[in-house]
Amino acid sequence: MDSIRIVGGKPLSGTVAVSGSKNAALPILCSSLLADGESTFRNVPDLRDIGTTAALLRHMGLGVDVAPPLVTVRNTGITATDAPYELVRQMRASVLVLGPLVARFGRARVSLPGGCAIGARPIDQHLKGLTAMGAKVELDHGYVDVVVPSGRLRGADFRFDVNTVTGTENLMCAAALARGRTTLANAAREPEIEELAHVLNKMGARVEGAGTDTIVIEGRDALSPVDHAIIADRIEAGTFMVAAAATGGNVLVDNVEPEHLTAVIRKLRQAGVAVEREGRGVRVAGKPPFVPTDITTAPHPGFPTDMQAQLMVLMCLAEGVSTITEMIFENRFMHVSELNRMGASIDVDGRSARVTGHAKLQGASVMATDLRASASLVIAGLVAEGETRVLRVYHIDRGYERIEKKLSGLGADVERIKGDG
Ligand code: EPZ
């Protein structure tokens, strides 16, 4: 396993281009199950999760060529409708094949994704929605077996009990081929959901209201393949914006949709960071100490939970105390103990972390526990005095394309150490 070695203390400067969005690409690649023919996806990030998704689709009999940023999917008929444990345990988002499979083939057998480092993460809402559309769901030896007795899903009015991103995406795909109209109430509103709706409509579906909390889908008998370029990754962009400010740098984060980051930009400005739109990106400049800023994570357009760990590092460099409250996942403070080992002063009490600023971060060997926690440790390493080793960087490779190359392009002293993690 690789590790990343960082010598901190260098302000980042220059331009970094943001890659395509992981959390938009995954549901979109899975939606290619809905239509026969060849689909072409552009601006696809070169990430481990894309490889896992390709393996999943190949397991079902699709032809998939992955040559990032281009991915081609040929659907000439599938040979399997199951998502095996071996693949699902590598990537929870494998559950995104559920909606397309049940909608297209009237059945699916998907390994139930267990919990992960950040929480229990059940899929009850996905299954409840499919049941409302006429499916029968059974748990069988760690798998969910879903069958549509009538052979085809029917449209339904469904209200989510909790706001769920992949739940909304799964039911949008399911409804796209159902008989009749489906209304999804209390739906998630993330930009990745608008992007999936955009792709489904390019495939011939009729999805309206994506981006609001009520989505209406008129089912179609058949859909067509698509050629689509994936939106930029707002969380990767946000991560570089925080890294620029935390190191006292000045960086143009290019190929960003600022509208996808309003809550993050608002908090950065509140903390005293300069964020200005520039061309197809945003210029970010900042210098510690920052203004203490309280943050509470929430579904979009609220503050994204996927940026919580990164902002926490910035608040370690504030002149005073900030409170960070994690409302989406019950166990998303795994980075705190590692940051405290680097000299931060963070106390966790249930869903809230009290961050006392003025930290003099020191380089150390630290362990990544999940994707965004590892991003926060990399940022802390860029700020810290001396050398930091971030171990288990396979977490970061799931969601950041060549992060060490992009950071060294901004003047950071960072490198990947092969087989050292
Ligand atoms: C998506 O996960 C993202 N993953 C996550 O990003 C992100 O953190 C999350 O949305 C929230 O924004 C992808 O898009 C692939 P949820 P998802 O269902 O859909 C509860 C990253 O770092 N819930 O919106 O799995 C659940 O337990 C990843 O890139 C139920 O109770 O998250 C959680 O507390 C990490 N029942 C809350 O809802 C359900 O059926 C939100 O989860 C579904 C969810």
Side-chain angles (χ1 to χ4, degrees), residues 180-334:
R181 165 184 294 202
T182 296
T183 301
L184 300 176
N186 191 28
R189 304 169 54 186
E190 272 66 8
E192 294 77 23
I193 287 171
E194 283 190 68
E195 175 74 345
L196 176 61
H198 184 46
V199 169
L200 289 173
N201 285 338
K202 281 171 90 171
M203 295 169 78
R206 265 215 238 123
V207 183
E208 282 168 17
T212 75
D213 62 6
T214 305
I215 303 175
V216 177
I217 304 119
E218 290 292 345
R220 313 289 279 178
D221 295 341
L223 297 174
S224 317
V226 72
D227 184 325
H228 183 74
I230 308 276
I231 54 172
D233 194 310
R234 64 191 169 104
I235 304 299
E236 184 196 13
T239 302
F240 280 111
M241 292 160 75
V242 172
T247 59
N250 183 324
V251 170
L252 174 60
V253 182
D254 206 8
N255 184 27
V256 180
E257 316 265 355
E259 310 71 53
H260 293 171
L261 283 162
T262 41
V264 172
I265 292 173
R266 190 180 317 118
K267 285 297 175 185
L268 285 174
R269 287 179 172 151
Q270 228 175 303
V273 178
V275 183
E276 295 309 326
R277 186 190 269 274
E278 188 176 314
R280 294 175 49 251
V282 287
R283 179 164 296 282
V284 179
K287 206 170 177 24
F290 300 103
V291 179
T293 304
D294 295 345
I295 289 155
T296 299
T297 64
H300 190 85
F303 188 91
T305 172
D306 295 348
M307 282 298 301
Q308 176 255 99
Q310 299 92 317
L311 251 288
M312 186 179 280
V313 178
L314 205 70
M315 289 303 106
C316 291
L317 310 172
E319 50 189 348
V321 175
S322 313
T323 301
I324 296 183
T325 305
E326 175 54 57
M327 294 309 290
I328 305 291
F329 293 108
E330 62 275 21
N331 187 34
R332 203 168 203 180
F333 285 141
M334 302 286 279

Side-chain angles (χ1 to χ4, degrees), residues 22-23 121-125 164-166 306 328-329 372:
K22 166 182 84 80
N23 290 347
R121 305 184 72 178
I123 60 164
D124 58 299
Q125 297 296 303
T164 160
V165 175
T166 49
D306 295 348
I328 305 291
F329 293 108
R372 308 305 170 182

Side-chain angles (χ1 to χ4, degrees), residues 32 35-39 57 61-65 72-78:
S32 58
D36 283 342
E38 179 163 316
S39 291
L57 296 175
L62 276 62
V64 186
D65 298 334
T72 312
V73 180
R74 279 177 309 288
N75 186 348
T76 53
I78 66 163

Side-chain angles (χ1 to χ4, degrees), residues 6 75 197 216 300 369 378 395:
I6 307 163
N75 186 348
V216 177
H300 190 85
T369 48
V378 166
H395 285 293

